[in-house]
Amino acid sequence: MGLVVQKYGGSSVADAERIKRVAERIVATRREGHNVVVVVSAMGDTTDDLIDLALQIVPVPAGREYDMLLTAGERISMALLAMAIQSLGYPAESFTGSQAGVLTTATHNKARIVNITPGRVEKSLEEGNIAIVAGFQGVSPDTKDLTTLGRGGSDTTAVALAAALHADVCEIYTDVDGVYSADPRIVKNAKRLDTVTYEEMLELAACGAKILHLRSVEYGRRYGVPIHVRSSFSNKTGTTVTGSMEDLPVEQAIISGVAHDRSEAKVTVVGVPDKPGEAAALFRVLAEAEINLDMIVQNISTGGTGKTDVSFTLPKTDGQLAVQALTKVKGQVGFENVLYDDHIGKLSLVGAGMRSHPGVSATFFASLAEAGINVEMISTSEIRISIVCRDTDLDQAVRAVHDAFELGSTGAEAVVYGGTGR
Amino acid sequence: MGLVVQKYGGSSVADAERIKRVAERIVATRREGHNVVVVVSAMGDTTDDLIDLALQIVPVPAGREYDMLLTAGERISMALLAMAIQSLGYPAESFTGSQAGVLTTATHNKARIVNITPGRVEKSLEEGNIAIVAGFQGVSPDTKDLTTLGRGGSDTTAVALAAALHADVCEIYTDVDGVYSADPRIVKNAKRLDTVTYEEMLELAACGAKILHLRSVEYGRRYGVPIHVRSSFSNKTGTTVTGSMEDLPVEQAIISGVAHDRSEAKVTVVGVPDKPGEAAALFRVLAEAEINLDMIVQNISTGGTGKTDVSFTLPKTDGQLAVQALTKVKGQVGFENVLYDDHIGKLSLVGAGMRSHPGVSATFFASLAEAGINVEMISTSEIRISIVCRDTDLDQAVRAVHDAFELGSTGAEAVVYGGTGR
């Protein structure tokens, strides 16, 4: 008898039929003798529909009232899910983020969880109920106002609640059946991973694998909550995110997988004076515009011109904003030009074994060279190598690297749902 | 500078355009120098859509989770309305029933307000905000669970909140522009009433005039809150419900209007033994089935048979349930038969002047007789006479009575939206 926290995303509860199917799965877990706490997102497109409504009223909906609006979505799905469980003969109670004690900062639309005081959820479990909790939402103890956690917030709610309740596992049900060694739509023999470490999952999430939200993995690592990513459409075991790299056998050269990302653009600032503080001035401007940068590369100044080029990648959606912000300070900083390129792709090789096996980067770059891929930028961490190439070369690059490290399965494992790097 | 509570129903906030128009009206009231508290219902068909969703999951949705589901509706409309007011340059904050201190009994789906502690609303007003409050919902202080007040609950929220805040007036905006002397769709020269007493409005509401919910009028009477019923589509003054009959001039023979109702059916239990307790047995069975009866008539037993007929009216929706309940006890009570008739219409003449003017009933029945209307049942109160006739005769009966008491306006007042008796 353990305690299982299960999280179901919007596509898993998109209509009444799917809600009934999810209820059956929850009841099956209960029948196995476990206590179950369920975290649920809003149904299918509900959140987008609510955003559309708000946009008809104000151009940029934000703040307290926007959170009040969006929190209606989970309220609908969780009440329907509780009814569906009850109709199968099991007692269930649903709780808003506020009722479940999800305490957050007061920053509307992107609040962060500061504490969870799940007294009502614990009491409900003691009374024999299956407890349903609204994902994505909380309450600020300072203002007593409702808040939302931003995109991917339901994953974070689930992992944080699992930590607070000392759950045995946090199961994240999604429309893919685990974390793969590469996107199965690109690499035919991509292999589902049984386990990955939190660190690897963080790198994969940061490199474009959309399966788990970064913050939820960070939370899981901090509190040691095993996260089991699995499909809501099948009973197959998925991928468990658990354990630290420190626990891995020293000799094992583990490469987990290849992630890719088409959502970024590259900005190059040409002819920046190669003096201390000039690059800093550029980045201050971008920070003030609240733009998150990903990879940053500065070339050495060549040919004694005293000038250098600075390149960085960032989400395409922030591209125009960044170019505008930089152009404004062109005279002040004294650079020559800003180039914008949104036809790039990013490939990342992630693996805990990387740091102790220097041959990894040699094999990595050799495989790309053999495939004729031109590498435009490089960035590395202890357990990751990322490169930028043309977006039209990206698929071929993913296959080349995946093959070179023999990451594929040899069997005929059925791959149905997406994979990393979507 | 006063405090005005305004209530907008679902059709007034059915889409983004209408929400913007309502926001302009609210801001206009604010500009006149008043503090404004707004009670809002769910948008258009939202509640019905949510009920449909629930019906896809369970045959009879009810209880705690059903309330959790339905309360999402007002959360959406109130947040959008707050955004619309803000976009006009006025500060606004929305509050759920729970946040506004609407404390209710724990009876889900038909809770009753037990107290209102509007501390957060008062604070918001002091800070200069327009406060928006969700209608129809509250929280049970015993269980800490969300509750709903049942159909028409938003009217009750508004009047109760107006009482708790000592507001100067509670304005109920609806799709009709006041209370009429009869349904203008039936009676061409029906007149909009400037004022009616709480007692008259209670009788009108109970007799099929759907403009105000009965409970809200009761609340208004108990706490002396003037209720101004007016159209959300025009700026015309509507009808104010205020004052007691005791305040009216003694000599005044005021007849307010003619209400009618097509929503009832008639059940006749034939051949009931005319002994003490037999009728009581029938009504106990109906009470146990939670059926509310309206008019009840028992004829004297004729011809020495020792048997009598008992007739009553009830909502058509409860008709089959009542017939089934009665048929079950047929042998036990020993009556002969149950007849069911859902082709009846009910007409009610309401007026505070009635009790002191005995000529009223004479004129009433004479007008019906002249129009050739067959009266099937009669019931009276101090300020009301009701009759049942064939539903096909109802319109003609309404016109005959309206004419006989000269209730019509002589001018060419434009009557656009519905009226009493819808």
Side-chain angles (χ1 to χ4, degrees):
Chain A
M1 174 96 177
L3 173 59
V4 178
V5 173
Q6 299 186 332
K7 180 259 172 177
Y8 293 91
S11 62
S12 304
V13 293
D15 56 38
E17 276 317 305
R18 290 195 186 182
I19 288 173
K20 287 188 205 173
R21 237 184 297 158
V22 163
E24 279 164 17
R25 183 184 284 273
I26 292 165
V27 163
T29 308
R30 185 82 178 78
R31 279 213 200 94
E32 287 165 13
H34 301 294
N35 271 321
V36 188
V37 173
V38 179
V39 172
V40 70
S41 301
M43 292 171 71
D45 301 326
T46 307
T47 302
D48 289 335
D49 292 347
L50 292 173
I51 292 172
D52 282 350
L53 264 175
L55 286 172
Q56 289 174 43
I57 299 215
V58 281
V60 187
R64 180 185 189 279
E65 301 305 324
Y66 195 44
D67 279 352
M68 182 67 91
L69 177 72
L70 296 185
T71 53
E74 292 82 35
R75 184 171 281 228
I76 294 169
S77 55
M78 74 191 201
L80 292 172
L81 184 55
M83 289 180 194
I85 292 169
Q86 289 165 357
S87 79
L88 294 173
Y90 284 77
E93 277 187 338
S94 69
F95 297 95
T96 64
S98 167
Q99 291 175 335
V102 180
L103 308 180
T104 74
T105 58
T107 315
H108 284 293
N109 315 144
K110 46 184 177 184
R112 300 188 73 88
I113 295 176
V114 291
N115 194 14
I116 297 202
T117 53
R120 287 191 70 180
V121 174
E122 287 169 328
K123 184 156 171 290
S124 188
L125 290 174
E126 279 164 22
E127 290 167 2
N129 293 303
I130 292 168
I132 322 284
V133 175
F136 177 67
Q137 58 177 251
V139 66
S140 156
D142 299 335
T143 62
K144 291 191 169 49
D145 284 330
L146 301 171
T147 55
T148 62
L149 306 176
R151 287 271 165 193
S154 291
D155 287 354
T156 309
T157 305
V159 177
L161 199 55
L165 294 167
H166 308 291
D168 297 287
V169 63
C170 179
E171 298 181 338
I172 306 280
Y173 286 86
T174 175
D175 52 359
V176 300
D177 62 355
V179 180
Y180 275 75
S181 58
D183 187 337
R185 287 171 302 187
I186 295 177
V187 179
K188 287 277 170 281
N189 68 340
K191 195 171 64 180
R192 195 182 63 243
L193 308 175
D194 291 332
T195 59
V196 288
T197 61
Y198 296 113
E199 288 88 344
E200 288 169 303
M201 195 65 224
L202 282 173
E203 292 284 7
L204 287 167
C207 292
K210 301 280 190 302
I211 295 174
L212 278 180
H213 201 261
L214 207 58
R215 284 158 63 190
S216 67
V217 183
E218 284 169 352
Y219 224 105
R221 177 169 65 167
R222 192 179 324 150
Y223 293 97
V225 180
I227 305 173
H228 184 180
V229 180
R230 57 194 305 188
S231 167
S232 56
F233 303 108
S234 83
N235 280 314
K236 278 204 284 191
T237 301
T239 301
T240 299
V241 185
T242 184
S244 159
M245 293 190 306
E246 319 301 330
D247 308 331
L248 296 175
V250 177
E251 295 302 312
Q252 213 172 327
I254 306 169
I255 300 295
S256 294
V258 183
H260 70 273
D261 190 352
R262 291 182 209 278
S263 69
E264 296 197 342
K266 181 173 73 168
V267 172
T268 304
V269 188
V270 179
V272 181
D274 197 3
K275 290 183 294 186
E278 296 299 335
L282 296 179
F283 294 126
R284 194 165 50 241
V285 167
L286 296 167
E288 278 164 10
E290 297 200 1
I291 295 168
N292 281 318
L293 305 185
D294 180 18
M295 294 166 71
I296 301 171
V297 171
Q298 180 177 354
N299 301 330
I300 53 164
S301 65
T302 50
T305 58
K307 302 221 169 192
T308 184
D309 300 341
V310 176
S311 293
F312 56 86
T313 65
L314 78 180
K316 276 181 190 165
T317 46
D318 285 342
Q320 291 311 314
L321 193 61
V323 171
Q324 282 164 20
L326 289 170
T327 305
K328 266 190 211 159
V329 294
K330 187 176 171 182
Q332 184 190 326
V333 178
F335 59 81
E336 287 163 17
N337 207 359
V338 178
L339 304 176
Y340 180 70
D341 178 358
D342 61 3
H343 288 288
I344 62 161
K346 190 174 87 171
L347 179 154
S348 302
L349 181 71
V350 173
M354 205 174 278
R355 53 180 174 168
S356 53
H357 287 77
V360 167
S361 51
T363 307
F364 178 76
F365 287 108
S367 68
L368 291 169
E370 269 168 42
I373 312 292
N374 186 39
V375 174
E376 303 181 16
M377 291 174 83
I378 301 171
S379 135
T380 60
S381 82
E382 258 191 285
I383 62 169
R384 176 185 54 78
I385 313 176
S386 298
I387 62 110
V388 164
C389 62
R390 288 294 89 197
D391 58 356
T392 46
D393 286 343
L394 190 58
D395 287 5
Q396 204 193 331
V398 169
R399 280 189 287 263
V401 172
H402 195 265
D403 282 353
F405 287 93
E406 297 174 346
L407 299 175
S409 63
T410 45
E413 191 161 283
V415 171
V416 184
Y417 303 102
T420 60
R422 287 175 310 128
Chain B
M1 173 96 175
L3 172 59
V4 178
V5 174
Q6 300 186 330
K7 181 258 172 176
Y8 294 92
S11 62
S12 303
V13 292
D15 55 39
E17 276 318 304
R18 291 194 185 182
I19 288 173
K20 288 187 205 173
R21 236 184 297 157
V22 163
E24 278 163 18
R25 184 184 283 274
I26 293 165
V27 164
T29 308
R30 185 81 179 79
R31 278 212 201 93
E32 287 166 12
H34 301 293
N35 271 320
V36 189
V37 174
V38 179
V39 173
V40 70
S41 302
M43 293 171 70
D45 302 324
T46 307
T47 302
D48 289 334
D49 291 346
L50 292 174
I51 292 172
D52 282 349
L53 263 176
L55 287 172
Q56 289 175 40
I57 295 203
V58 282
V60 187
R64 180 185 189 278
E65 301 304 324
Y66 195 44
D67 279 351
M68 181 68 89
L69 177 72
L70 296 185
T71 53
E74 292 84 33
R75 183 172 283 227
I76 293 169
S77 55
M78 73 190 201
L80 292 172
L81 184 54
M83 289 180 195
I85 292 169
Q86 288 165 358
S87 78
L88 294 173
Y90 285 77
E93 277 187 337
S94 69
F95 298 95
T96 63
S98 166
Q99 291 176 335
V102 180
L103 309 180
T104 74
T105 58
T107 315
H108 284 292
N109 316 143
K110 46 183 176 184
R112 299 188 76 87
I113 294 175
V114 292
N115 194 13
I116 297 202
T117 54
R120 287 191 70 179
V121 174
E122 286 169 328
K123 183 157 172 290
S124 187
L125 290 174
E126 280 164 23
E127 290 167 1
N129 294 302
I130 293 168
I132 322 285
V133 175
F136 176 68
Q137 57 177 252
V139 64
S140 156
D142 299 335
T143 63
K144 292 191 169 46
D145 284 330
L146 302 170
T147 54
T148 63
L149 305 176
R151 287 269 163 193
S154 292
D155 287 354
T156 309
T157 304
V159 177
L161 199 56
L165 294 168
H166 308 290
D168 297 287
V169 63
C170 179
E171 298 182 338
I172 306 281
Y173 287 87
T174 173
D175 52 358
V176 300
D177 63 354
V179 180
Y180 275 75
S181 58
D183 187 336
R185 286 170 302 188
I186 294 176
V187 180
K188 288 277 171 279
N189 68 339
K191 194 172 63 179
R192 196 182 58 241
L193 309 174
D194 290 334
T195 59
V196 288
T197 61
Y198 296 112
E199 289 87 344
E200 287 168 304
M201 195 66 224
L202 283 173
E203 291 283 7
L204 287 168
C207 293
K210 302 281 191 299
I211 295 173
L212 277 180
H213 201 259
L214 206 59
R215 283 158 63 190
S216 67
V217 185
E218 284 169 352
Y219 223 106
R221 177 169 64 166
R222 193 180 324 153
Y223 294 96
V225 179
I227 305 173
H228 184 182
V229 181
R230 58 194 303 188
S231 167
S232 55
F233 303 108
S234 83
N235 281 315
K236 279 204 282 190
T237 300
T239 301
T240 298
V241 186
T242 184
S244 160
M245 292 190 307
E246 319 302 332
D247 308 329
L248 295 175
V250 178
E251 296 301 312
Q252 212 172 331
I254 305 169
I255 301 296
S256 294
V258 183
H260 70 272
D261 191 352
R262 293 181 209 280
S263 69
E264 296 197 341
K266 181 174 72 167
V267 172
T268 305
V269 188
V270 180
V272 181
D274 197 2
K275 290 182 294 185
E278 296 299 337
L282 295 179
F283 294 126
R284 193 164 50 241
V285 167
L286 295 167
E288 279 165 10
E290 297 199 1
I291 295 168
N292 282 319
L293 305 186
D294 179 19
M295 295 166 71
I296 301 170
V297 172
Q298 180 175 353
N299 300 330
I300 53 163
S301 64
T302 51
T305 58
K307 302 221 170 192
T308 183
D309 299 340
V310 177
S311 292
F312 56 87
T313 64
L314 78 179
K316 276 180 188 165
T317 45
D318 285 341
Q320 291 312 313
L321 192 61
V323 171
Q324 281 166 22
L326 289 169
T327 305
K328 265 189 211 160
V329 294
K330 187 176 172 182
Q332 185 190 326
V333 179
F335 60 81
E336 285 164 18
N337 206 357
V338 179
L339 304 177
Y340 180 70
D341 178 359
D342 59 3
H343 289 286
I344 63 161
K346 190 175 87 171
L347 179 153
S348 302
L349 182 71
V350 174
M354 206 174 277
R355 53 182 174 168
S356 53
H357 287 76
V360 168
S361 51
T363 307
F364 178 76
F365 287 108
S367 67
L368 291 170
E370 270 168 40
I373 310 291
N374 186 39
V375 173
E376 303 181 17
M377 291 174 82
I378 301 169
S379 137
T380 60
S381 82
E382 259 191 286
I383 63 170
R384 176 184 55 79
I385 314 177
S386 299
I387 63 109
V388 164
C389 63
R390 288 295 87 197
D391 57 356
T392 45
D393 287 344
L394 189 59
D395 287 4
Q396 205 193 330
V398 170
R399 281 190 286 264
V401 173
H402 194 266
D403 282 354
F405 287 94
E406 298 174 348
L407 298 176
S409 64
T410 46
E413 190 159 285
V415 171
V416 183
Y417 303 102
T420 60
R422 286 174 313 127

